[in-house]
Amino acid sequence: MGNGVDVRGIAGGLRHSASISVVGEVSGISDYLDKVDFLVLPSDKPEPFGLVLLESFARGRPVIASRAGGVLDIVVDGANGRLFEMGNTAQLHDILAGVNREKAIALGRQARKDFEERFSIESYQARFRNLWNEIVRDG
């Protein structure tokens, strides 16, 4: 992670550290997302978009991520995930210490709803149809 957040160090200091797995970069995330309560994305550089966030939302998994870049267009702090200032280990620690399965389920429901409403194929198709109809009608 460069000079960014020491996730392993933070996770090791938490109350239920045995329940946390830090896997780093992987070639395929699907199997991991199916097993987690939260996806943590502690980027030390702004993510331009964050496709992994949408993959997480599609499975009803909320995200804990650095507050920067494209993440800000996807994650709504306290609604479908949690945000912390990039590189702020104290904030990340506090968020991780305060989450539990109940919060994960509630945030995950909203994450899935947001995915369906904003990022699913069906929502894109509907917006495109509406835009096309406006162009045809006004054109």
Side-chain angles (χ1 to χ4, degrees), residues 9-113:
I10 292 171
L14 294 171
R15 182 179 47 215
H16 299 290
S17 61
S19 69
I20 299 171
S21 297
V22 179
V23 295
E25 188 173 334
V26 296
S27 60
I29 193 163
S30 296
D31 291 339
Y32 293 98
L33 286 176
D34 291 338
K35 297 175 186 173
V36 301
D37 293 324
F38 284 89
L39 169 75
V40 180
L41 187 67
S43 301
D44 54 3
K45 295 179 195 140
E47 296 283 333
F49 180 70
L51 183 58
V52 69
L53 303 175
L54 299 185
E55 291 177 276
S56 185
F57 278 20
R59 286 179 170 72
R61 302 302 191 269
V63 173
I64 299 171
S66 301
R67 184 187 308 270
V71 169
L72 298 174
D73 294 324
I74 300 170
V75 179
V76 178
D77 192 29
N80 58 20
R82 295 297 318 272
L83 297 172
F84 63 95
E85 297 304 321
M86 196 166 21
N88 189 326
T89 57
Q91 268 188 333
L92 176 57
H93 178 275
D94 290 347
I95 289 170
L96 290 172
V99 296
N100 57 40
R101 176 129 324 142
E102 183 179 298
K103 287 181 184 177
I105 290 169
L107 293 171
R109 277 191 202 112
Q110 186 62 47
R112 176 64 191 174
K113 182 179 178 195

